[in-house]
Amino acid sequence: MKNHFICWVFVVLGAGVGCSNEEKAISASAVRPNILFIMSDDHAVNAVGAYGKHLSEYALTPNIDQLASEGMLFENCFVTNSICSPSRATILTGKYSHKNGVYCLNQSFEDQPTSATILQQAGYRTGVFGKWHLKSTPQGFDDYKVLQKQGRYENPEFVEKGTEQLVEHTGWVDDIITEMTQHFIAEGTESAQPFFVMCHYKSAHDPWASRPPFDTAYQQIEIPEPANLCDTYIDRSQAARQTTLKLEMMDQKTFSHHRLDTQDTCEQRQHIYQQYVKAYLRSAQVMDDNVGKLMKFLDEHDLSENTIVIYTSDQGHFLGEHGFFSKRFIYEESMQMPLIVRYPGQIESGTRREELIANLDFAPTILDLAGVTVPTDMQGVSFAEMLWGNKVDGWREAIYYRYWQHLLHRNVAAHYGIRSANHKLIFYYGLPLGQTDFEPTQPEWEMFDLKNDPQEMQNIYGNFAYAEETKSLKQQLKQLQQHFDDTDDQYPELQQVHQKYF
Ligand code: CA
């Protein structure tokens, strides 16, 4: 399969060299693949049936599950900064936040090479529809209609290319996004250009709304709780204790009747959890329904065979694990992203991969799949070879993560860390680094043995039995920071913390 794409590049350039005759015959008839990139918002792997987690019986996502049964599911895909805008900037640029400049929700994002700008230059028809959530107008797209900031679920307004005016559309947001995506694809069916479309759904972001027939689901059902719903954070970080991501602290506006007249935190969490997770799953069902509509549309237009479909979410989400909702932390449920890729006849059906993938890799992979050279300053790596069933020698053994915004949202402390196949090491460095109005906190470490403690309940940092592993992870962490040029040389106060704590 690799040669198939390499030869295609030669044919397009008119060189026609470097391939055998047989390969030339294949490549001469090869057409560049269309790429349909479907991204939802905050859709945790625990809420995707195909991932087979503890909620899989209740997470009704038949259409996404079918994509997995027809394509490849990645068991270990992770975000590098678990919050909406930074993940979206990383997905587009293939770079960490400190390179693309989007650390949180309010940094501008303009004039940067992205998968879209590069594919547009390479002759692709490009479009983005739905949630954009970057502080700039989209660049590199032949057409776009995007929500302003979060947008709304019912009768949403979209900023449209050309007019840059907000236009209200009647209906449910994800249904409208599907129609826009289909319209863009249909408009180009007579064109020789392949398409690259980013279809970005609003679900399943708060305030977790749904529409018929999904809005009445789960009424007589008790959803199973995660085993650590009533986590008390004993022997863990101050960061875990002090965050206000806890279910009993959820916004009143989101669930107006959730508070009980009780001081029992666990009882409150259990009560709120049922309302929260049901609303979340209902919202995700509408989105999954729309994935099904898109797949049907591809079939009806004879596009399924030559369209690579990618399904993902901008990051994970806590569904009551540790008593939390939302994201931001490096903990598993927040850090892990769903990733499923379908390409009929090219990717073996129903396959799964274990390698550590990062959202950093999406842009390089998409360019690679389109036969376009990946810019050398992209920090991610193409995993296209894995899609063809091949092993990639020298693939990464750990993922570097960094959450920047110290105490800005939900009192989550800034931290960075490393996630290997079996362990996770986290350093909460305790400094606001230029953010005003936020006080330093005590620096601290956390470490988890993911094989023996997948729920991350036992902080093993300082445990003598893990001394060698800790030393190795610290070395890897430093190496990755060097490799990705995130060494914090501009912050002498952080250098002092490093000297004291490393
Ligand atoms: Ca998000």
Side-chain angles (χ1 to χ4, degrees):
M1 190 48 61
K2 182 181 179 182
N3 287 342
H4 172 97
F5 284 93
I6 290 172
C7 291
W8 171 81
V9 174
F10 284 129
V11 168
V12 166
L13 294 176
V17 294
C19 306
S20 69
N21 287 337
E22 185 185 356
E23 287 166 336
K24 275 185 199 172
I26 294 168
S27 55
S29 62
V31 180
R32 286 187 289 178
N34 302 306
I35 300 170
L36 173 55
F37 181 85
I38 306 171
M39 182 160 70
S40 56
D41 203 337
D42 293 3
H43 198 203
V45 297
N46 280 341
V48 181
Y51 274 84
K53 305 285 188 177
H54 74 283
L55 287 180
S56 62
E57 190 183 328
Y58 302 86
L60 303 176
T61 53
N63 295 294
I64 297 170
D65 298 349
Q66 187 169 341
L67 273 183
S69 71
E70 294 171 354
M72 182 175 285
L73 179 149
F74 289 83
E75 299 272 15
N76 292 296
C77 178
F78 297 97
V79 68
T80 47
N81 180 2
S82 185
I83 184 164
C84 301
S85 307
S87 178
R88 288 159 192 269
T90 291
I91 284 168
L92 282 163
T93 60
K95 295 175 184 172
Y96 273 95
S97 303
H98 65 281
K99 290 293 182 187
N100 63 43
V102 183
Y103 299 88
C104 196
L105 302 176
N106 52 2
Q107 288 91 19
S108 67
F109 176 82
E110 285 173 352
D111 299 327
Q112 301 195 43
T114 66
S115 51
T117 64
I118 295 167
L119 285 187
Q120 188 184 44
Q121 287 161 10
Y124 269 72
R125 281 182 76 237
T126 55
V128 59
F129 303 96
K131 181 95 175 265
W132 173 245
H133 208 184
L134 285 163
K135 202 175 178 185
S136 68
T137 52
Q139 294 176 318
F141 295 99
D142 296 312
D143 194 12
Y144 59 78
K145 294 181 177 64
V146 293
L147 299 167
Q148 195 174 44
K149 296 183 180 176
Q150 299 289 0
R152 58 176 182 255
Y153 275 103
E154 202 159 10
N155 300 333
E157 295 176 321
F158 289 79
V159 179
E160 304 197 350
K161 181 166 183 172
T163 67
E164 305 306 324
Q165 300 293 313
L166 273 174
V167 179
E168 184 175 298
H169 292 249
T170 304
W172 197 260
V173 65
D174 288 349
D175 300 332
I176 296 165
I177 293 166
T178 297
E179 287 164 13
M180 290 171 170
T181 302
Q182 292 174 341
H183 180 74
F184 177 80
I185 293 171
E187 268 190 326
T189 48
E190 299 301 314
S191 164
Q193 285 180 286
F195 64 76
F196 171 54
V197 190
M198 306 186 90
C199 173
H200 291 182
Y201 290 121
K202 176 171 171 58
S203 305
H205 196 283
D206 70 49
W208 306 298
S210 186
R211 61 143 168 85
F214 307 107
D215 56 341
T216 54
Y218 310 114
Q219 281 185 334
Q220 306 301 324
I221 292 172
E222 189 92 346
I223 306 286
E225 297 169 358
N228 57 359
L229 177 68
C230 291
D231 194 350
T232 53
Y233 322 106
I234 292 172
D235 296 329
R236 259 169 302 134
S237 63
Q238 179 63 24
R241 284 191 291 277
Q242 76 184 12
T243 179
T244 59
L245 285 180
K246 301 177 179 81
L247 282 171
E248 66 273 21
M249 300 174 183
M250 191 177 257
D251 292 343
Q252 292 281 344
K253 68 179 181 184
T254 311
F255 290 110
S256 56
H257 303 296
H258 76 257
R259 288 197 180 265
L260 298 175
D261 293 327
T262 171
Q263 296 302 309
D264 184 332
T265 301
C266 187
E267 193 179 336
Q268 285 194 38
R269 282 188 191 173
Q270 289 172 318
H271 181 75
I272 298 158
Y273 169 77
Q274 290 298 326
Q275 297 178 65
Y276 159 56
V277 80
K278 286 177 184 178
Y280 177 98
L281 293 175
R282 289 177 192 128
S283 180
Q285 280 187 272
V286 179
M287 183 272 296
D288 178 81
D289 185 49
N290 276 285
V291 172
K293 286 193 265 181
L294 280 176
M295 295 311 104
K296 187 163 179 275
F297 174 86
L298 292 181
D299 282 343
E300 289 171 353
H301 290 75
D302 203 20
L303 288 165
S304 293
E305 288 293 308
N306 195 41
T307 300
I308 299 170
V309 177
I310 300 169
Y311 176 75
T312 191
S313 171
D314 61 348
Q315 82 283 308
H317 212 254
F318 293 109
L319 296 175
E321 302 89 359
H322 300 285
F324 293 162
F325 66 100
S326 197
K327 53 258 181 181
R328 294 182 178 83
F329 274 101
I330 189 175
Y331 299 143
E332 289 292 274
E333 296 83 4
S334 160
M335 186 184 183
Q336 190 174 3
M337 310 163 76
L339 177 62
I340 296 165
V341 187
R342 187 190 79 168
Y343 192 9
Q346 311 293 329
I347 296 174
E348 190 178 345
S349 298
T351 45
R352 290 177 179 241
R353 299 289 293 216
E354 298 280 345
E355 286 91 338
L356 295 170
I357 306 293
N359 61 343
L360 206 60
D361 303 326
F362 290 8
T365 302
I366 286 167
L367 295 179
D368 199 9
L369 291 171
V372 175
T373 302
V374 179
T376 54
D377 65 344
M378 279 193 177
Q379 296 178 307
V381 182
S382 168
F383 57 82
E385 282 298 322
M386 294 178 201
L387 298 171
W388 319 140
N390 298 329
K391 186 173 183 297
V392 180
D393 292 331
W395 191 255
R396 73 169 63 86
E397 294 180 354
I399 289 181
Y400 174 60
Y401 178 95
R402 184 162 187 177
Y403 177 75
W404 286 80
Q405 302 295 318
H406 189 61
L407 307 182
L408 180 63
H409 293 126
R410 295 277 171 197
N411 222 33
V412 176
H415 56 286
Y416 56 68
I418 183 170
R419 201 270 191 210
S420 67
N422 296 326
H423 295 92
K424 187 179 289 178
L425 179 70
I426 311 166
F427 185 53
Y428 301 92
Y429 49 85
L431 292 170
L433 301 181
Q435 293 171 246
T436 54
D437 304 328
F438 296 98
E439 295 296 319
T441 53
Q442 185 69 32
E444 55 183 339
W445 291 94
E446 270 186 330
M447 182 170 157
F448 297 101
D449 180 338
L450 299 173
K451 289 298 170 208
N452 293 312
D453 177 27
Q455 293 178 326
E456 300 171 304
M457 297 294 284
Q458 300 288 325
N459 180 11
I460 55 169
Y461 186 80
N463 184 327
F464 184 72
Y466 291 91
E468 280 303 308
E469 192 61 47
T470 307
K471 188 177 168 188
S472 170
L473 284 171
K474 282 187 178 177
Q475 284 174 346
Q476 289 179 68
L477 177 58
K478 279 186 178 175
Q479 286 167 358
L480 286 177
Q481 288 181 322
Q482 291 280 348
H483 177 73
F484 292 119
D485 193 24
D486 190 23
T487 53
D488 291 308
D489 294 337
Q490 69 274 40
Y491 300 117
E493 68 272 36
L494 186 50
Q495 297 300 328
Q496 288 176 5
V497 169
H498 286 170
Q499 284 172 13
K500 186 175 175 186
Y501 285 87
F502 260 84

